[in-house]
Amino acid sequence: MRQVVSLLLVLGQVLFVASSTDQLMTNRGSSKQPLFSQKSKTKLQILYRLCLSKAPDFVYATARPSNQSMPHKFSLVILEINSGSFFVELERVDQASGWDTMITVDWFLYTGIALVHGKRMFWLPDLSGTKTMNQEQSAMYCTNRGAELADIADKETYKLIYNHIAEYHMYNTKIRSYVHAWLASKYNPQTRNVTQSNGEPGFNGDGKWRQPSYPSSSIDNTVLAVRVRYYDSQDGGLLNFPPRQALRACTVVCSMKLLPNL
């Protein structure tokens, strides 16, 4: 019989709670328990210790020895997600043997509509409304929600974020059929290089600029936005503007790490 061990939750943090316009609820937590296994694999039940009305839409978790000086390394696969707990298969991967030590499982969950990619979560805090905003105002919108304005690292991330906006933002087509979203990335009009907010290279367009006017060569156009058109993908794409320029019909794409130590 496969043994299922309940882990005791020792830390839980509510990051964001849904309201009438904010459609996402997120939580983080950590669970610790002395754990013995004769084999390299075992199954665990991890309790949220939260009052959830339904199972989360997404759960991410990692496992580590609570004593960081221990050599143990673990892989973790989520098997089942329920409203009160989730089940995982834990495997020791630094060597094919069991263990007898305290294990910490760090987890993150959300309920609502979001995109997970590259160990980060991206989401639209407002799925229907639009605003007139510059990049600084857009960044503050995310900061007030414990998050960051989204960066785009590569073409794959661009496609995922573009399609996420196109699918989930509820356009008011009687007023306009497009929406803008500011990015945290910086653009150098002279070198045509893009730099993410963490200093690493970012996605520099690669055929995804809004044609025919972008990228602009003006030395003032140093921040990026993406335009998503409801019915015409050819009208969408990357744009570069001055930092303080206010754009109409803005939505906001926020981002956060699934776990702080990732």
Side-chain angles (χ1 to χ4, degrees), residues 128-131 162 165 169-181 210 226-232 235-237 239 247-251:
S128 58
T130 58
K131 306 164 181 64
Y162 188 99
I165 297 171
H169 190 273
M170 291 173 269
Y171 301 84
N172 188 340
T173 54
K174 293 182 180 179
I175 300 176
R176 55 180 60 89
S177 57
Y178 63 87
V179 66
H180 294 116
R210 181 174 177 254
V226 61
R227 177 169 175 159
V228 180
R229 172 73 75 167
Y230 175 63
Y231 61 86
D232 183 4
D235 186 51
L239 314 94
L247 298 181
R248 295 181 299 169
C250 282
T251 189

Side-chain angles (χ1 to χ4, degrees), residues 73-241:
K73 295 185 183 301
F74 298 94
S75 68
L76 184 151
V77 177
I78 294 176
L79 304 175
E80 183 179 338
I81 299 173
N82 299 310
S83 60
S85 63
F86 62 101
F87 289 85
V88 305
E89 182 176 73
L90 189 66
E91 180 180 6
R92 184 174 180 182
V93 294
D94 61 302
Q95 63 183 45
S97 67
W99 65 91
D100 183 6
T101 187
M102 180 82 75
I103 302 295
T104 297
V105 175
D106 301 304
W107 53 264
F108 172 91
L109 64 80
Y110 73 71
T111 299
I113 298 173
L115 163 70
V116 172
H117 175 64
K119 297 183 180 180
R120 295 191 71 92
M121 180 185 70
F122 302 88
W123 85 100
L124 304 172
D126 193 332
L127 294 174
S128 58
T130 58
K131 306 164 181 64
T132 299
M133 307 175 78
N134 60 30
Q135 190 203 41
E136 182 179 357
Q137 292 168 327
S138 187
M140 184 58 64
Y141 196 85
C142 293
T143 299
N144 291 340
R145 287 155 176 79
E148 303 166 328
L149 193 62
D151 271 307
I152 294 184
D154 49 37
K155 192 171 187 177
E156 181 183 8
T157 307
Y158 170 85
K159 289 181 178 179
L160 289 170
I161 290 178
Y162 188 99
N163 292 336
H164 186 76
I165 297 171
E167 180 175 0
Y168 290 108
H169 190 273
M170 291 173 269
Y171 301 84
N172 188 340
T173 54
K174 293 182 180 179
I175 300 176
R176 55 180 60 89
S177 57
Y178 63 87
V179 66
H180 294 116
W182 285 105
L183 303 176
S185 306
K186 298 291 190 291
Y187 178 75
N188 187 323
Q190 296 178 318
T191 64
R192 305 186 76 172
N193 290 330
V194 172
T195 305
Q196 297 180 73
S197 56
N198 62 5
E200 296 180 1
F203 178 57
N204 67 355
D206 191 19
K208 297 300 182 181
W209 290 98
R210 181 174 177 254
Q211 298 298 324
S213 302
Y214 297 92
S216 168
S217 60
S218 171
I219 60 172
D220 296 323
N221 289 20
T222 58
V223 293
L224 293 179
V226 61
R227 177 169 175 159
V228 180
R229 172 73 75 167
Y230 175 63
Y231 61 86
D232 183 4
S233 62
Q234 299 303 311
D235 186 51
L238 287 174
L239 314 94
N240 60 316
F241 293 109

